Amino acid sequence: MGIFTKYFLPNEYVQSIFDIKPEHLKSKNIKAIITDLDNTLVGWDVKDPTDEVRTWFEEMKEQNITVTIVSNNNQERVASFSSTLNIDYIFKARKPRGKAFRQASNLMDVNKSEVVVIGDQMLTDVFGGNRNGLYTIMVVPVKKTDGLVTKFNRLIERRFLNYFKRKGLINWEE
Ligand SMILES: [Mg+2]
């Protein structure tokens, strides 16, 4: 397995968070979710969780799967979104650095093998999760537009995605 694959290939790649079901996670012995916010749960410019997102969080809670939002965005954005869901969050997480992933895992009192990282970006969410030894699920970004830094990351990401696609490692329809 190449170094790119090791660090940048997600364990799973799905269209949206709504394709991620509690039963599936439980079958993998996963008890906790570390999820990105912007363009993973809602578009980056959407302030509050949609009803569909609320239902998704409720379903996870009912199945005793704990969720923490870990975002590189600022306190105002992350706190206001998370508080309406009444769940824990870490803002300015500096993903792909490991600290926030460790903090979130400690907060939820689970070990590495019980955690899944969900996000829309390969260079922050997937890379961060993979190199910290966590299971990773990548989702297609909710919204196609991004900030400048993310735009640049997307260029690199596109090349990785094409590479994985050529290798048959990702079944990817867009
Ligand atoms: Mg994101």
Side-chain angles (χ1 to χ4, degrees):
M1 188 163 73
I3 188 133
F4 292 132
T5 308
K6 183 181 172 198
Y7 287 126
F8 296 103
L9 181 71
N11 292 104
E12 296 179 34
Y13 188 64
V14 297
Q15 286 294 314
S16 86
I17 56 159
F18 309 115
D19 296 317
I20 305 169
K21 309 286 183 198
E23 303 76 42
H24 174 64
L25 299 181
K26 289 184 107 173
S27 77
K28 299 199 159 292
N29 205 29
I30 284 166
K31 298 186 175 123
I33 295 172
I34 291 174
T35 182
D36 176 51
L37 199 178
D38 295 311
N39 275 347
T40 297
L41 299 177
V42 294
W44 62 270
D45 55 351
V46 174
K47 190 175 180 292
D48 294 312
T50 60
D51 288 344
E52 209 181 0
V53 168
R54 287 186 179 284
T55 305
W56 186 81
F57 272 85
E58 276 160 24
E59 282 168 5
M60 291 300 171
K61 196 177 177 186
E62 276 165 19
Q63 296 297 317
N64 294 316
I65 295 172
T66 320
V67 188
T68 300
I69 293 178
V70 174
S71 169
N72 286 353
N73 210 332
N74 61 41
Q75 182 171 15
E76 192 187 350
R77 162 63 165 159
V78 184
S80 98
F81 187 94
S82 308
S83 61
T84 68
L85 292 164
N86 200 23
I87 61 154
D88 288 322
Y89 59 89
I90 295 173
F91 60 92
K92 287 190 179 164
R94 309 187 80 171
K95 293 176 285 185
R97 293 194 189 184
K99 192 178 168 194
F101 294 104
R102 285 193 296 275
Q103 278 179 341
S105 303
N106 290 340
L107 211 60
M108 295 186 281
D109 196 24
V110 287
N111 51 49
K112 278 186 172 190
S113 66
E114 299 169 323
V115 179
V116 60
V117 175
I118 300 172
D120 71 302
Q121 284 199 66
M122 198 172 264
L123 299 192
T124 54
D125 306 309
V126 176
F127 180 42
N130 282 354
R131 77 169 182 176
N132 286 288
L134 307 172
Y135 194 80
T136 49
I137 302 179
M138 189 173 171
V139 300
V140 176
V142 174
K143 199 137 189 172
K144 296 297 162 196
T145 57
D146 281 306
L148 199 59
V149 175
T150 305
K151 259 183 194 153
F152 176 75
N153 283 346
R154 293 273 182 226
L155 286 176
I156 302 166
E157 186 180 291
R158 180 67 41 188
R159 301 188 74 152
F160 282 129
L161 281 171
N162 285 333
Y163 172 79
F164 293 141
K165 201 184 171 193
R166 276 202 311 279
K167 293 264 176 184
L169 294 167
I170 266 180
N171 298 318
W172 160 53
E173 338 79 46
E174 262 184 301

